[in-house]
Amino acid sequence: MAAIHPDAEKFLNRRARFGVITTLRSDGSACTVPLWYDWDGTAVRFFSGATSAKLKRLENDPRISLTVSSEVDEGAEIWVSFEGLATVSKEGAKDLAVMLARRYLGDVPVDPRAQEMKTSFEEMPETYVRQVHFVPTRGFAMLGDDKIQKLFID
């Protein structure tokens, strides 16, 4: 895989942001869901409940996209979109869920509801969750200059 555009890498690492995945239903229609995600520089990872509908959709068709966008208060319109083929596994799923809970909620959340959510991830059985992983095969971005461009540079 080619290197990701450096401005896109900076954007993805600046702060925790929701990602929006799109998977395909059996009739071919799109299903879009916001979620927590991890980008490690080469692959996208997120977790899902072991019996979730998104995992059933990925079992039928592994094509997936993830889009991450800037917030309105950030000024410039910036977004990054990855596309690829997903794989699902049990291995590392709970650890990923706990890591993402800490990233998105904080190590010691002030809000009692956030603390309860974080604790539920830490205490859940391994069997409750799966990890979804994909290495992008292509991607596009808008990096604040109103031009859509290829995400990966050769």
Side-chain angles (χ1 to χ4, degrees), residues 1 4 12 19-23 33 35-47 54-55 58 61-68 80-89 96 131-140 151-152:
M1 181 179 78
I4 187 171
L12 292 169
V20 178
I21 62 157
T22 301
T23 56
V33 180
L35 47 65
W36 298 342
Y37 73 94
D38 179 55
W39 165 252
D40 67 6
T42 59
V44 173
R45 299 182 308 155
F46 62 90
F47 67 92
K54 78 175 73 72
L55 296 186
L58 289 169
D61 187 334
R63 291 179 291 171
I64 190 167
S65 70
L66 170 86
T67 300
V68 181
V80 173
S81 187
F82 299 102
E83 299 173 13
L85 298 176
T87 58
V88 177
S89 69
L96 176 64
Q131 179 179 170
V132 178
H133 171 275
F134 75 96
V135 175
T137 53
R138 74 177 182 171
F140 300 92
L151 181 58
F152 299 103

Side-chain angles (χ1 to χ4, degrees), residues 100-134:
L100 289 174
R102 289 180 179 148
R103 177 186 298 163
Y104 282 82
L105 301 173
D107 284 327
V108 184
V110 176
D111 183 325
R113 292 170 298 173
Q115 180 60 49
E116 184 179 319
M117 181 185 294
K118 183 178 155 285
T119 300
S120 72
F121 287 121
E122 293 168 343
E123 296 175 354
M124 77 178 159
E126 299 267 346
T127 56
Y128 283 24
V129 66
R130 298 292 183 269
Q131 179 179 170
V132 178
H133 171 275
F134 75 96

